[in-house]
Amino acid sequence: MWRWQFSHVLQAPLTTLPSVDTAAGPKSPHPACASRSGRAMALTQRDSATRILLAEKKSPQRHMKTWPLGFGVKLEIVTPFLGKYRPFVGRCCQICTPKSWQSSFHKHLPSLGFHNVLQVTEEDTRYRGWLVRRLCYFLAVLDWKVHSETPQDLQERIFCSKRVQDVMALKVPQARVAGSVSKSPAQWRSKVLQILGQIQSPFSLFILRLCSWALLRLLNRMFLNLLLHKGQLEMVRRAAQTPDVPLVFLSTRKSQLDGLLLPFLLFSQGLGVSRVTWEYQAYTPSLRALLSRLGGVFLPPRAEHMPDSERGALSRAILTSYIEELLKSRQHLVIFLEEPVSGVSRLSAPGGEWLSLVLGAVRAGAVPDVMLVPVGIAYDVAPNASHGGLSGSAQPFGLWSCLLAVRRALGREFGCVRVDFAQPFSLQEYTANSLFRRSCSQKSLEELLLPVILGKSPDLLDWEKWEEWYPGLGAAAELKAEERVLVGRLGLHSLSAGVSCSAVMAVAIMSALLLHKHREGVFLSRLMSDFSWLVEETLLRNCDVGFSGRLRDLVLHALCLLRGCVSLHRLSRGDVLVAPRETEAAVRELGCHSAALLPVFTCEAVGACAINALLVEMLPFLGPAELPAAVVLSQEELSRKVLALLQLLPRDFLLLQPCQSVSCYGQDVLDKLIQCGLLVAEEAPSEWLACDTARRRFPRKLLWKEMEDFNDSDSDYDEDAGKRRFKVPPWRGSGCLALAPPGQPPLPLLPFSRPEGPSFLPVCKETACPAGRCTSQPAREVSCCSWISQLDNCPDFFLFLCGLLGPLLKTFERAAAFLAESGCPERELEYLEKLQRFLVRKAREDGSFECTNRSLAASSVRTFKELGVLREQPGPAGPILHLSETFSTKGNQEQLEKFIGQFTSS
């Protein structure tokens, strides 16, 4: 059910692919995406009818051509999870919420399959007949149940609440401002009702059902299907049955459409109407009025921007009381944790405000507990403004803008949508465990990383980095310092869970291959092989994909959706050359899509960039003719590079859960490098075997680990733990990695030669040691070493992993180079605008437009402030940035640029 029009994509007529004859033969299954019935997702032999994933037949309302089953050639098959099952994603954290991990889950839930929400038939209504089949959408929406509604006496409850009465009685310090006069009860009631009207409005069932019917029609026109897992939905339904415990959905955000899509999904699946959080300043009053009648809630502007004024104190009291009454009535609340259409995973400030209000309601005893449900949303192509779809803009979004965006969206195809619900977990349980496990050994990023950048001894890299994820938190709810930290940890934990359970779509995989592996172009046959390989790599990392079908259909589906970013060329040999376009819009769109694949390979990408940094350090000591076929790296130095990179990168970008320490995550990085074949572990020569623990002694200095490290490793008391080494067989292929130090041209490609016997670089010899840290000893006694793998696919995989982190690291590197051109001191917004223009100018030199994302630039500014490069001072028109004394010199600025540049691959 897809409109395959490759004439818009091809630069030459593609005569090698057969045309479709829809009148002859059986109808083909859906070419690209997951089953509408959802019972089986794996595609195997064609003659095995019980295991073939068949999509629904072509709907009579949509006249679209489909590709046939066969193309006259033997095709490879997408065999998810080793040909058996898909991974069931979404289990909650077993460390932070062990009781929730056991509840609301049963072993039969993963086998329930998928359900297409957009497939509404007469079976979804109470009626039957030919007329019902034509009015099934309207009749189905009429049958959807609202369940909970707003209490009739909500206004009176809020007016009589203790918080509001304290403000009226001038007992709150903010209410006793200079010039404030006493008001009559009628005046106070009028102000309370006015502020409450800015926050919410009662439901309008007529508008709700009418808009739900219109949205159902619109989504069917825009998307092929909207899939959700029945097992995940069953977990949410079980959690919703807990008495006196409401649900709060903490969702990722990929488009402005998510604010309508997620409550529509919950409404259609019998979970009632949910309250959805929206930004007050992003919409015009007319659109805010419509959204509030559909269940939208807003932060009142005075509570957010003027918390110390009398009206700000009253707004804060009304908002807090409203959230308590909302949770008491067991109405579900939807909070978006990410910034809208940011392109990267980053916690949003409004999401932290709403999350703090929910935590405050539980702490105040308004409800006994709240069940939190992380949600992940994945699109093939998200309907953003840059892609010609629905999105916000710098100006407030109004009704006419919304209608115009809908009209533009109807002229495009956006592929498929997948919504995943993670396992619900208890807020009370998480709070209790988080306060118990809170680490006190935290230092600022300036204390941890600045000595490393300036060439001093790195002794604190394994300490925990202190980060404030919500700098302005506390305006909407009065929270103590430890409560603000708790809200930040909870937000990061929920965002990590939501992104982890999100499915990887076909367009994301295709974009990552074209941008980070085949930038110069690739044959279609090779592209199909790499697509199948990357799907398997994704599934083996316990991440699900949002599609299934025949391999050729999947590749063509992704290429069709990326028709504006690729060009196809027909070759005389019968193959097709696929080349990504080098335009700014095309590269930025490919970079936006490929970012969805980074959470899957974050550990491997960090490890590959750390290996790259060590290789860059070795190159000045080796000439091109001396570059060995095998390279040995110190395990200790590799661990230091990994820790340094982990400390540099923002924690919400890495999606590193607060319950996991940096040192443990660094060990996971090394383990993942071993699992993917880039490193191979070897036991160091010793006087006794590694399994002989009886002869070992405790060292003089016993280093106790973090409480979450419950593994039974003997590294705590093994003096020879640093003598382990990682050996990887030599890479074999057409050439060696073309690496070079920052600012120098890459080395020429050298041919590989696979040695007959063991081959390694004796780094511990005094004459060959790149860093000069080892003593002279025979090469076969080399310990504490890591060997780079030489498997067939390792060079490509190594560069692919470095490319995934490349946009962020290159942005950081260019932000460091921008320090010499910055006109500090200046306002932060002006600084960010100049940095954005600098990034665009640099991208036009080498075509790296994926590094011009504004969110990446904002992340670099935030990291530089934490690192002590930029100092922030309050100003009348906003924060003012100026360079610190340490980085006011050109030498230290070059040191910073060199430190970041070592992790980027040339």
Side-chain angles (χ1 to χ4, degrees):
M1 295 173 60
W2 183 253
R3 190 181 305 160
W4 297 98
Q5 296 178 349
F6 274 88
S7 59
H8 301 287
V9 187
L10 301 180
Q11 290 190 352
L14 188 59
T15 57
T16 57
L17 296 180
S19 60
V20 180
D21 186 6
T22 56
K27 294 184 178 180
S28 66
H30 195 284
C33 302
S35 168
R36 293 180 182 265
S37 61
R39 289 190 299 270
M41 299 299 292
L43 178 66
T44 57
Q45 298 294 334
R46 183 177 177 181
D47 57 349
S48 180
T50 58
R51 301 181 65 188
I52 295 181
L53 174 65
L54 294 178
E56 285 295 316
K57 295 183 178 180
K58 186 168 55 177
S59 173
Q61 293 86 355
R62 303 175 68 187
H63 305 285
M64 295 186 181
K65 295 182 178 181
T66 58
W67 286 96
L69 270 174
F71 291 87
V73 294
K74 183 178 180 181
L75 301 179
E76 293 187 60
I77 303 300
V78 178
T79 54
F81 207 63
L82 303 181
K84 295 181 180 181
Y85 303 104
R86 285 175 176 265
F88 184 75
V89 295
R91 297 299 303 274
C92 64
C93 182
Q94 195 173 5
I95 298 177
C96 300
T97 53
K99 295 181 180 179
S100 300
W101 189 83
Q102 297 176 355
S103 63
S104 69
F105 178 79
H106 194 269
K107 60 182 180 181
H108 79 281
L109 295 180
S111 62
L112 293 182
F114 292 82
H115 170 60
N116 180 18
V117 178
L118 301 183
Q119 186 186 8
V120 178
T121 62
E122 62 176 329
E123 297 181 358
D124 298 299
T125 67
R126 296 175 294 173
Y127 312 99
R128 297 294 182 270
W130 65 271
L131 184 59
V132 175
R133 286 192 292 271
R134 285 156 177 79
L135 300 175
C136 57
Y137 285 5
F138 181 74
L139 296 176
V141 170
L142 290 179
D143 289 340
W144 293 350
K145 298 180 179 179
V146 178
H147 293 308
S148 58
E149 294 185 359
T150 305
Q152 298 294 332
D153 57 343
L154 176 64
Q155 298 177 356
E156 189 64 27
R157 290 184 182 182
I158 293 178
F159 183 77
C160 297
S161 63
K162 184 178 184 302
R163 288 187 178 86
V164 176
Q165 292 296 323
D166 288 344
V167 175
M168 293 168 55
L170 303 181
K171 295 181 179 180
V172 178
Q174 291 83 353
R176 296 192 299 267
V177 295
S180 60
V181 296
S182 59
K183 300 181 179 62
S184 63
Q187 291 176 329
W188 281 112
R189 181 179 294 273
S190 177
K191 294 188 64 174
V192 168
L193 295 181
Q194 180 185 1
I195 297 174
L196 185 60
Q198 294 177 347
I199 297 174
Q200 63 91 42
S201 296
F203 286 116
S204 175
L205 295 183
F206 172 75
I207 297 179
L208 179 64
R209 297 192 186 275
L210 179 63
C211 291
S212 298
W213 170 80
L215 186 60
L216 180 58
R217 302 278 301 193
L218 175 63
L219 294 178
N220 269 280
R221 291 288 301 274
M222 292 176 59
F223 303 106
L224 293 173
N225 50 39
L226 171 57
L227 293 177
L228 57 86
H229 198 286
K230 295 180 181 178
Q232 297 174 351
L233 184 62
E234 182 62 26
M235 290 192 302
V236 176
R237 286 173 174 166
R238 291 184 180 184
Q241 296 175 358
T242 306
D244 300 329
V245 176
L247 297 181
V248 175
F249 296 89
L250 306 177
S251 175
T252 62
R253 192 164 198 174
K254 307 303 178 184
S255 170
Q256 293 285 6
L257 185 63
D258 297 346
L260 298 175
L261 180 67
L262 187 54
F264 165 81
L265 181 64
L266 299 174
F267 188 29
S268 64
Q269 300 306 307
L271 292 173
V273 182
S274 303
R275 289 289 184 174
V276 186
T277 59
W278 296 88
E279 295 184 28
Y280 189 89
Q281 303 292 343
Y283 306 98
T284 60
S286 58
L287 188 55
R288 283 201 303 266
L290 177 61
L291 293 176
S292 62
R293 301 295 282 180
L294 296 176
V297 292
F298 303 87
L299 282 174
R302 294 300 180 94
E304 187 176 3
H305 301 292
M306 301 178 62
D308 297 331
S309 63
E310 176 186 321
R311 188 177 179 86
L314 181 61
S315 299
R316 185 169 60 249
I318 295 174
L319 182 61
T320 304
S321 301
Y322 170 74
I323 292 298
E324 293 179 356
E325 296 296 333
L326 180 73
L327 297 177
K328 285 180 182 179
S329 60
R330 298 199 62 200
Q331 295 186 57
H332 306 323
L333 182 64
V334 177
I335 300 174
F336 292 101
L337 297 177
E338 283 184 303
E339 292 186 351
V341 202
S342 61
V344 295
S345 297
R346 184 180 175 187
L347 291 168
S348 67
E353 296 283 359
W354 290 109
L355 200 56
S356 64
L357 291 169
V358 173
L359 178 63
V362 176
R363 288 285 185 91
V367 288
D369 198 2
V370 168
M371 297 300 291
L372 303 178
V373 186
V375 182
I377 303 177
Y379 295 89
D380 262 333
V381 178
N384 296 335
S386 57
H387 303 157
L390 299 171
S391 180
S393 60
Q395 300 297 327
F397 205 59
L399 279 175
W400 289 110
S401 302
C402 183
L403 294 176
L404 183 60
V406 169
R407 183 179 178 274
R408 290 197 305 262
L410 291 177
R412 287 204 57 186
E413 292 91 4
F414 297 92
C416 306
V417 191
R418 171 82 175 268
V419 179
D420 291 275
F421 296 100
Q423 186 177 5
F425 63 92
S426 168
L427 178 58
Q428 286 279 28
E429 182 185 11
Y430 180 86
T431 302
N433 291 335
S434 179
L435 293 177
F436 173 72
R437 297 171 50 82
R438 183 179 176 183
S439 175
C440 59
S441 57
Q442 292 185 346
K443 291 184 177 294
S444 65
L445 183 61
E446 183 176 356
E447 296 176 296
L448 294 175
L449 209 54
L450 196 58
V452 182
I453 296 175
L454 300 180
K456 299 179 181 180
S457 177
D459 295 329
L460 303 175
L461 283 178
D462 55 347
W463 282 56
E464 292 302 307
K465 177 175 61 175
W466 181 86
E467 285 186 272
E468 190 171 1
W469 296 287
Y470 298 113
L473 190 64
E478 296 179 353
L479 296 177
K480 300 178 182 179
E482 62 176 15
E483 292 176 337
R484 287 198 297 268
V485 173
L486 178 60
V487 172
R489 294 168 63 93
L490 177 59
L492 181 59
H493 195 285
S494 302
L495 179 60
S496 175
V499 174
S500 300
C501 74
S502 299
V504 180
M505 309 303 288
V507 171
I509 294 179
M510 181 61 64
S511 300
L513 289 174
L514 294 176
L515 188 63
H516 302 305
K517 193 174 183 183
H518 302 298
R519 192 81 177 246
E520 304 299 328
V522 61
F523 293 122
L524 181 61
S525 56
R526 172 66 185 278
L527 187 60
M528 293 169 60
S529 175
D530 288 344
F531 188 92
S532 178
W533 160 76
L534 195 52
V535 168
E536 288 296 333
E537 292 291 337
T538 301
L539 293 168
L540 289 173
R541 284 162 176 78
N542 202 32
C543 295
D544 199 6
V545 293
F547 55 86
S548 184
R550 299 186 69 90
L551 178 59
R552 189 182 184 96
D553 295 334
L554 293 168
V555 173
L556 295 179
H557 164 77
L559 289 177
C560 187
L561 292 176
L562 294 173
R563 61 170 65 94
C565 303
V566 298
S567 59
L568 306 186
H569 306 266
R570 176 176 55 86
L571 304 180
S572 58
R573 56 186 295 183
D575 208 336
V576 179
L577 178 64
V578 182
R581 300 181 187 271
E582 296 297 331
T583 62
E584 179 178 356
V587 175
R588 291 188 64 169
E589 185 171 351
L590 290 176
C592 180
H593 293 319
S594 62
L597 208 64
L598 178 60
V600 182
F601 298 95
T602 300
C603 286
E604 294 89 339
V606 170
C609 292
I611 293 177
N612 183 84
L614 289 181
L615 292 178
V616 169
E617 288 184 357
M618 294 175 58
L619 286 178
F621 302 93
L622 296 173
E626 302 174 0
L627 195 62
V631 180
V632 181
L633 305 176
S634 168
Q635 179 186 2
E636 181 182 0
E637 291 297 324
L638 181 58
S639 299
R640 289 184 180 276
K641 293 295 183 183
V642 169
L643 290 176
L645 184 55
L646 290 176
Q647 299 287 10
L648 174 67
L649 298 177
R651 198 167 183 130
D652 53 353
F653 182 87
L654 290 173
L655 297 174
L656 180 57
Q657 293 187 352
C659 60
Q660 188 175 16
S661 65
V662 175
S663 57
C664 293
Y665 191 82
Q667 185 60 46
D668 289 343
V669 169
L670 298 181
D671 294 341
K672 290 295 182 66
L673 291 177
I674 296 173
Q675 292 175 8
C676 69
L678 290 178
L679 296 177
V680 175
E682 276 194 347
E683 288 292 340
S686 180
E687 298 179 359
W688 53 79
L689 298 176
C691 58
D692 186 7
T693 60
R695 301 178 60 184
R696 295 181 180 175
R697 297 175 300 172
F698 285 97
R700 297 178 180 178
K701 182 180 179 181
L702 184 61
L703 300 178
W704 296 101
K705 293 188 174 182
E706 296 286 341
M707 295 187 61
E708 67 268 16
D709 190 9
F710 293 108
N711 58 49
D712 52 356
S713 173
D714 55 2
S715 59
D716 285 343
Y717 52 86
D718 186 6
E719 294 179 347
D720 297 331
K723 296 183 180 182
R724 299 191 184 98
R725 61 191 181 194
F726 298 139
K727 176 182 178 181
V728 186
W731 285 336
R732 60 177 183 267
S734 59
C736 181
L737 295 178
L739 298 173
Q744 301 182 14
L747 296 176
L749 294 178
L750 298 179
F752 282 118
S753 60
R754 184 173 179 83
E756 298 296 333
S759 176
F760 52 85
L761 176 66
V763 296
C764 287
K765 286 188 176 181
E766 191 173 9
T767 59
C769 181
R773 285 183 293 269
C774 302
T775 58
S776 178
Q777 53 181 318
R780 60 178 175 272
E781 297 179 4
V782 170
S783 60
C784 64
C785 295
S786 302
W787 294 67
I788 297 181
S789 175
Q790 302 193 354
L791 301 178
D792 287 331
N793 202 29
C794 279
D796 292 338
F797 192 38
F798 174 81
L799 294 177
F800 175 78
L801 293 174
C802 291
L804 289 178
L805 268 180
L808 179 67
L809 292 176
K810 288 180 181 178
T811 302
F812 278 31
E813 182 184 10
R814 292 172 180 177
F818 174 71
L819 294 176
E821 301 183 12
S822 63
C824 291
E826 59 185 343
R827 293 174 55 236
E828 183 173 351
L829 292 179
E830 296 176 355
Y831 182 90
L832 188 58
E833 290 293 337
K834 291 183 179 180
L835 176 60
Q836 181 74 13
R837 291 194 295 267
F838 178 82
L839 294 176
V840 173
R841 188 173 74 249
K842 285 292 185 180
R844 288 172 180 167
E845 297 176 1
D846 57 0
S848 57
F849 293 103
E850 68 274 12
C851 304
T852 58
N853 192 314
R854 186 179 178 87
S855 297
L856 297 180
S859 297
S860 67
V861 173
R862 185 183 66 171
T863 300
F864 282 6
K865 289 192 295 184
E866 296 175 356
L867 191 57
V869 179
L870 297 174
R871 301 295 184 184
E872 184 178 9
Q873 291 182 349
I880 298 177
L881 298 180
H882 62 91
L883 281 175
S884 63
E885 295 182 1
T886 305
F887 288 93
S888 60
T889 61
K890 187 177 180 181
N892 288 341
Q893 294 176 6
E894 293 177 350
Q895 286 274 52
L896 175 63
E897 184 180 358
K898 181 180 178 181
F899 172 77
I900 302 175
Q902 66 179 332
F903 298 107
T904 62
S905 61
S906 301

